[in-house]
Amino acid sequence: MFSSNNKISVRQLQILLILDIFGMGITFLPKKMTEFGGQNGWICVILGVVFACICAWISASLAEKFPEDDFVTYVGKIVSKPFAVIITIGFILKIIFSLSMELRIFSEILKQTILFNTPSYVISICMLLVGAYGAVKGYETRGRIAEILIFVIFIPLFIIFAFVASGSDYTNLMPFFEADKKEIFLGGIFSLFTFSGIEFILLAYPYLKNKKTAKKESVKAVVFIGVIMVLITVITISKLGPFDIKNQVWPVLELMNTVELPGAFLERQDAVVMSFWIMSVFIIINAGVYFSSLLSKDMIKKGKNIWYVAVISAVVFFISLIPTDISEIIKITDKIYMSFGAVYIFVIPFLLLIIAKIRKY
Amino acid sequence: MDRNENKIKKISYDIDENIKYLEGLFENCGDIVKRKFPVGENKDIWLYVMYVDDMTNREIIENRVIETLMIEIKKTPPRESELKDNLFKGLLDGGITTADVKEEEDLDLACTEILSGNTLLLVDGFSKCLIISTKGFPKRGVSEAETEVVVQGSKEAFAESFRINTVLIRRRIRDTRLKIEQIKVGRRSKTDVGIVYIDDIVRPEILEETKRRINEIDIDAILDSGYIEQLIEDDYLSPFPQIQLTERPDKAASALLEGRVVIIVDNTPFVLMIPAILTSFYQSSEDYYQRWEIMSFVRIIRYIAGFIAVALPGLYIATAVYHPAMIPTQLLFKIAQSRGDVPIPAVFEVLLMEIAFETLREAGIRLPSAIGSTLGIVGGIIIGQAAVEAGLVSPIVVIIVSLTGLCSFSIPNIALVSGFRLMKYIIIFFSAVLGLFGFWIGALLILIHLVNLKSFGIPFMFPFTSAENVSDLKDTFFRLPIIRMKKRPVFANPKQKIRLRVQRNSERRK
């Protein structure tokens, strides 16, 4: 029942999906969406959630066809070995690049808000080491830690947003349905990329205990996190107004910091807000390091997990040092999301699924 | 040099050869009593007894064995002449008047029996001997539990004697399915180790794993159950206990009924309970004897205390040094005021007080209780007061450190507290370096370690992780009413889950 086989339950997969998707995207999603759709930006997010569910369904359908194979093996079966290696290398690069940027954004935000005198690379290195330590321990450990962290992250988040929601000015959301349809659609596509994390479904199947319900349950998890993202966007827009949001770099974090919690003991809760955000970023870093080392190991098929984790952590760390300031990081992140992100969240699973269907797997 | 364990020394037909072998082995062993004596009408049958002085019940040896053989046997039939070749069986059936007698053919095993307090009886002309159970050594009786004191509930505690301990458990569970498998562990000490379980409730895989790990132990001596604990636990590098110790028989019995395996080790008043998970360390046997509302409340207090015991000094350092803006202004002024003339940085101030507290605790354990309380007053109150007045430490740090210590005492298990005590310093270190971020880094490291830990296949953080349904949480933060705890916890064999049946139609249950 509990033998140490590195397997996770479907419930753990759901929680991991929720936490992997949540985290980075949420900090700038409302800002991006107001750029696309103004006060109607939240409609983009709803559209994004629908797209995300479709993507999750496609990825799960593909992985479901090869329940016992790892990614490299089954892609090799579909489109021959050399293509599989190319796709895998691209996948690893995508994970490593977005991971590096996320790590850098995280350390920059932390430096600006609570650790003014600490160099950002020290923050990066600490976070990366903890993430790597978790990654070395394997999938089962990730699943278990997520089961605990989901409460640590979402309960304070829920409480804070409940207070924000009660004090918001919902007239900020009006007028409804004013935005350009094309802009809304583009916004929807962009918000899909903040659901980066869905592609990990492609890798999860060999580690699942109960593969039958996994597809349905992972779509459910995407819907759950999607609803949360829509709610957060709605609340942020209504609280700050579409124009204020554009002027702020991290509107969601700002929002959580400024809200007055009635009867709270603390003078300012920014450090506390950061606390559960640290948890949620930890899970993402951990996921990135784990999956990229997993893919590399599946591809090379040699050596111990710990060496892959060590090499990838080092690479991620050095890439994260490259950008000079936050605006550059955001530009790079956008590019990664629009190119690599699009390819691995939708294009590749979709194409592979079609080819697999044609070749009758 | 160790004797070769595999070579069996068979008992010879010639009694003198056996005596020579035994006396060779027991040369210079002053505590051995031996005697060769003739019995029978013509005094022509030679017997030989051997036992360890004072480890045996002399009354049995003298009244039931020697007296019977030398005197009584002459008075009653059958006569020696009638027995002839059946002499050995005659002795077994009529010669020795105690129930616990067995035959043995291997002389080395017979030696182990002698050293365990039994008496050896060799008969001339037979290639086997009799082992008469005469164990009766000086021992401490059942006394009151000292480390797991309860207000309501049994006061009995396990003792050092193996048999007393098995009796204490057997008295609570009068079921033939309660099994006590005895083996000897330790090449030289040959310590009795009892693997106790209830046959149909225990998970077979856990039982097998326990037996396998105990059988793998190859050590010269087992002096305490702590040896066994450390030799069979899953991760010896972890500061957290993965096997639970208890000195309370009622707790051991309840563990057995939960499907856990209990290991009794001779000479140790603490038994081991396998497997153990985090929540089991927070449970005290009293929790189940009193009303559930108050006990649930106490449970929550214990969990909060556990968190404070690990986290409070680190949190103080993180907020006071890195994030003073978090603290409400008035409190901040108070802290600043009290810290005003303290010459050392806050981190070292906390460390200094923590170390002082640990020293005080260590000193207190070693001292007799009468001096111990004086030490508490001198060490804690006087020195603490003086240090604050001299401006060496700030009062707030004294409060923080004593609160941490207080909280660590409210967890019912010492082994878990020891783990927490060490983790506290990791948190302090990271908080001192990176503030609240460091605090969470430390917390995450500990959390990763904890979720990764397993005890005999059960995840240590169960049911907070890997639980399959909500009912697994019924005995964690809350202790639900007994009437709601119908199923055994995760340790039990899935086929034997039901432990309580409630009459559905009963009036008062409505």
Side-chain angles (χ1 to χ4, degrees):
Chain A
M1 175 181 180
F2 294 113
S3 54
S4 162
N5 49 11
N6 210 13
K7 297 251 174 188
I8 59 167
S9 65
V10 171
R11 199 174 93 93
Q12 287 172 331
L13 175 77
Q14 278 185 308
I15 294 173
L16 277 172
L17 266 180
I18 290 170
L19 292 180
D20 287 349
I21 294 170
F22 191 75
M24 290 315 290
I26 195 63
T27 50
F28 56 82
L29 186 69
K31 180 178 157 75
K32 275 284 165 197
M33 291 307 108
T34 44
E35 281 169 19
F36 281 103
Q39 73 277 22
N40 298 144
W42 53 276
I43 302 173
C44 304
V45 188
I46 294 182
L47 211 58
V49 177
V50 175
F51 290 151
C53 289
I54 296 171
C55 290
W57 188 81
I58 290 174
S59 298
S61 308
L62 176 62
E64 203 179 40
K65 286 184 186 297
F66 308 91
E68 299 303 332
D69 291 338
D70 60 61
F71 184 73
V72 188
T73 314
Y74 75 73
V75 176
K77 280 184 185 167
I78 301 173
V79 290
S80 81
K81 190 91 202 265
F83 281 108
V85 170
I86 294 171
I87 291 174
T88 311
I89 290 176
F91 205 164
I92 297 172
L93 287 178
K94 185 250 159 182
I95 298 174
I96 288 183
F97 273 104
S98 49
L99 180 60
S100 312
M101 293 309 119
E102 276 157 7
L103 187 65
R104 182 65 187 273
I105 294 177
F106 169 76
S107 40
E108 291 295 336
I109 295 181
L110 216 59
K111 187 174 162 55
Q112 280 175 17
T113 48
I114 58 172
L115 285 173
F116 313 105
N117 301 323
T118 313
S120 65
Y121 69 86
V122 174
I123 302 174
S124 298
I125 228 168
C126 289
M127 200 63 187
L128 198 55
L129 285 179
V130 179
Y133 175 55
V136 172
K137 300 282 184 186
Y139 218 145
E140 215 180 349
T141 303
R142 294 195 63 229
R144 294 202 200 131
I145 201 155
E147 279 182 299
I148 292 175
L149 289 190
I150 192 160
F151 293 104
V152 181
I153 295 166
F154 278 96
I155 291 176
L157 195 78
F158 178 79
I159 294 171
I160 288 184
F161 270 94
F163 282 116
V164 180
S166 64
S168 291
D169 177 10
Y170 290 96
T171 53
N172 274 334
L173 294 172
M174 292 195 282
F176 291 123
F177 310 115
E178 193 200 44
D180 185 26
K181 283 196 184 71
K182 196 181 153 209
E183 283 287 302
I184 292 279
F185 186 74
L186 281 179
I189 301 262
F190 187 87
S191 73
L192 166 65
F193 302 141
T194 55
F195 282 81
S196 159
I198 292 178
E199 65 268 28
F200 296 144
I201 298 176
L202 291 171
L203 308 175
Y205 262 75
Y207 302 96
L208 278 174
K209 271 185 209 152
N210 185 359
K211 298 173 208 287
K212 278 186 188 140
T213 54
K215 181 154 77 172
K216 206 172 99 191
E217 297 301 320
S218 38
V219 174
K220 268 191 205 166
V222 174
V223 172
F224 175 82
I225 190 70
V227 169
I228 288 181
M229 285 205 172
V230 171
L231 285 179
I232 289 180
T233 313
V234 168
I235 292 170
T236 313
I237 294 176
S238 58
K239 180 81 184 180
L240 297 176
F243 300 103
D244 258 10
I245 288 182
K246 285 179 191 167
N247 297 331
Q248 280 171 350
V249 192
W250 316 110
V252 179
L253 294 177
E254 190 56 38
L255 186 70
M256 292 194 277
N257 289 343
T258 47
V259 65
E260 288 264 333
L261 297 184
F265 168 74
L266 298 173
E267 189 74 10
R268 289 184 59 186
Q269 69 267 22
D270 50 356
V272 178
V273 169
M274 283 301 150
S275 294
F276 60 85
W277 193 58
I278 292 168
M279 298 285 137
S280 102
V281 174
F282 158 76
I283 282 282
I284 297 168
I285 307 272
N286 175 251
V289 176
Y290 177 73
F291 283 116
S292 48
S293 60
L294 181 73
L295 277 171
S296 324
K297 196 182 171 202
D298 286 346
M299 197 168 66
I300 300 169
K301 291 196 167 58
K302 255 186 210 159
K304 276 187 179 172
N305 197 14
I306 188 165
W307 298 113
Y308 292 98
V309 170
V311 171
I312 280 167
S313 307
V315 172
V316 167
F317 176 67
F318 285 112
I319 294 177
S320 79
L321 294 179
I322 296 172
T324 45
D325 55 35
I326 285 199
S327 60
E328 195 184 337
I329 308 170
I330 292 174
K331 267 184 214 151
I332 298 176
T333 318
D334 278 1
K335 273 183 196 151
I336 295 176
Y337 276 145
M338 293 301 246
S339 54
F340 270 119
V343 170
Y344 282 93
I345 209 168
F346 177 70
V347 181
I348 284 189
F350 184 64
L351 288 179
L352 285 176
L353 185 65
I354 288 179
I355 298 173
K357 286 239 171 181
I358 294 171
R359 300 186 67 177
K360 295 208 170 56
Y361 274 109
Chain B
M1 205 177 77
D2 287 341
R3 264 176 284 145
N4 189 347
E5 301 278 336
N6 298 327
K7 213 179 102 193
I8 293 174
K9 170 69 186 167
K10 283 273 183 189
I11 293 176
S12 159
Y13 285 96
D14 180 8
I15 194 169
D16 288 318
E17 194 185 324
N18 294 330
I19 293 173
K20 204 179 150 199
Y21 181 75
L22 283 174
E23 296 199 340
L25 286 181
F26 288 106
E27 197 184 353
N28 290 340
C29 293
D31 53 344
I32 298 290
V33 177
K34 56 210 168 189
R35 181 167 176 207
K36 189 180 172 188
F37 59 95
V39 294
E41 283 160 296
N42 307 321
K43 300 242 175 210
D44 54 357
I45 302 160
W46 286 92
L47 300 181
Y48 182 77
V49 287
M50 188 177 221
Y51 59 88
V52 182
D53 198 15
D54 253 12
M55 231 170 125
T56 43
N57 188 338
R58 284 188 84 137
E59 202 175 321
I60 295 184
I61 299 175
E62 272 156 24
N63 294 350
R64 311 266 170 191
V65 183
I66 311 277
E67 194 185 329
T68 322
L69 290 174
M70 290 175 106
I71 301 162
E72 302 286 327
I73 210 162
K74 292 180 193 166
K75 300 177 185 164
T76 50
R79 297 264 159 210
E80 182 206 333
S81 48
E82 293 164 28
L83 281 170
K84 282 201 170 122
D85 297 338
N86 261 336
L87 183 75
F88 197 83
K89 196 164 181 338
L91 278 178
L92 193 60
D93 292 344
I96 293 148
T97 48
T98 84
D100 197 353
V101 182
K102 61 179 181 184
E103 293 177 24
E104 182 60 67
E105 293 184 355
D106 180 351
L107 209 49
D108 284 324
L109 286 179
C111 284
T112 311
E113 295 288 348
I114 296 172
L115 293 170
S116 312
N118 293 331
T119 301
L120 168 94
L121 183 69
L122 277 171
V123 187
D124 194 16
F126 290 91
S127 69
K128 46 193 174 184
C129 64
L130 287 177
I131 301 293
I132 307 153
S133 176
T134 52
K135 284 196 186 97
F137 31 80
K139 58 194 167 198
R140 194 169 65 104
V142 178
S143 56
E144 252 184 61
E146 279 172 9
T147 56
E148 289 165 88
V149 185
V150 296
V151 179
Q152 181 188 334
S154 154
K155 303 267 186 263
E156 278 176 336
F158 284 119
E160 280 78 5
S161 156
F162 186 82
R163 266 300 152 237
I164 290 183
N165 293 350
T166 58
V167 166
L168 286 174
I169 290 180
R170 179 67 82 180
R171 247 177 49 205
R172 286 173 169 80
I173 305 171
R174 291 167 189 164
D175 185 351
T176 51
R177 285 164 292 190
L178 173 72
K179 308 292 180 194
I180 304 175
E181 285 186 31
Q182 270 173 253
I183 49 173
K184 291 198 190 301
V185 184
R187 286 190 307 272
R188 282 175 195 277
S189 69
K190 304 222 170 58
T191 312
D192 283 317
V193 172
I195 303 173
V196 189
Y197 55 92
I198 298 181
D199 209 8
D200 53 343
I201 305 180
V202 73
R203 265 178 198 268
E205 65 267 25
I206 291 177
L207 181 63
E208 284 311 308
E209 183 63 21
T210 312
K211 284 186 193 168
R212 190 185 65 76
R213 290 190 196 177
I214 290 182
N215 284 323
E216 269 178 9
I217 296 175
D218 186 13
I219 190 174
D220 59 346
I222 299 286
L223 296 181
D224 189 273
S225 54
Y227 278 56
I228 302 259
E229 183 202 355
Q230 291 171 62
L231 287 168
I232 66 172
E233 67 190 355
D234 288 64
D235 182 357
Y236 70 94
L237 293 173
S238 174
F240 292 99
Q242 299 133 58
I243 293 173
Q244 195 178 356
L245 274 81
T246 185
E247 62 165 350
R248 298 187 57 85
D250 55 344
K251 201 162 181 175
S254 115
L256 286 167
L257 291 167
E258 285 177 347
R260 294 159 84 185
V261 180
V262 167
I263 295 180
I264 304 175
V265 180
D266 198 11
N267 300 324
T268 315
F270 285 88
V271 304
L272 308 178
M273 297 185 285
I274 292 170
I277 56 176
L278 184 73
T279 53
S280 49
F281 291 103
Y282 278 104
Q283 295 160 355
S284 156
S285 47
E286 197 180 17
D287 294 2
Y288 305 92
Y289 304 157
Q290 292 191 27
R291 302 199 58 77
W292 67 277
E293 293 94 338
I294 183 67
M295 274 0 229
S296 298
F297 178 67
V298 171
R299 277 280 172 83
I300 295 171
I301 298 273
R302 280 186 206 145
Y303 278 94
I304 295 172
F307 176 77
I308 292 177
V310 181
L312 189 65
L315 268 180
Y316 168 74
I317 292 173
T319 44
V321 179
Y322 284 86
H323 319 292
M326 261 176 76
I327 306 169
T329 326
Q330 285 190 328
L331 183 63
L332 186 65
F333 280 142
K334 287 266 182 225
I335 294 177
Q337 210 176 15
S338 74
R339 270 206 50 78
D341 46 356
V342 175
I344 42 180
V347 180
F348 292 105
E349 199 186 342
V350 170
L351 275 180
L352 195 75
M353 285 311 287
E354 283 289 350
I355 301 288
F357 185 82
E358 299 282 353
T359 319
L360 205 62
R361 173 196 293 227
E362 191 57 26
I365 297 172
R366 311 279 161 241
L367 286 173
S369 57
I371 311 177
S373 55
T374 322
L375 180 93
I377 295 167
V378 174
I381 304 177
I382 301 182
I383 294 187
Q385 186 70 30
V388 169
E389 276 175 12
L392 289 176
V393 289
S394 61
I396 186 109
V397 168
V398 176
I399 294 171
I400 298 263
V401 170
S402 16
L403 198 61
T404 312
L406 188 69
C407 284
S408 76
F409 288 124
S410 58
I411 301 169
N413 189 287
I414 305 165
L416 185 72
V417 175
S418 315
F420 281 169
R421 262 160 76 191
L422 291 176
M423 292 304 104
K424 179 172 69 188
Y425 292 100
I426 291 187
I427 299 266
I428 290 178
F429 170 76
F430 280 105
S431 304
V433 178
L434 288 167
L436 207 56
F437 173 59
F439 172 81
W440 285 112
I441 291 279
L444 277 172
L445 284 175
I446 296 169
L447 202 60
I448 294 173
H449 173 73
L450 279 177
V451 298
N452 202 38
L453 211 57
K454 279 187 176 181
S455 174
F456 289 76
I458 308 276
F460 191 66
M461 291 297 275
F462 189 92
F464 306 125
T465 67
S466 322
E468 302 203 331
N469 43 42
V470 189
S471 73
D472 287 328
L473 286 165
K474 68 194 169 208
D475 194 12
T476 51
F477 292 130
F478 298 94
R479 199 223 83 199
L480 292 194
I482 299 255
I483 205 147
R484 294 261 168 251
M485 296 206 277
K486 289 178 186 141
K487 287 183 177 167
R488 292 178 211 281
V490 61
F491 314 112
N493 190 329
K495 288 177 197 151
Q496 275 287 342
K497 273 289 184 192
I498 305 294
R499 76 187 306 177
L500 171 74
R501 292 187 185 87
V502 180
Q503 302 299 325
R504 290 251 167 239
N505 303 330
S506 174
E507 278 285 315
R508 70 192 178 90
R509 298 275 184 247
K510 262 179 192 173

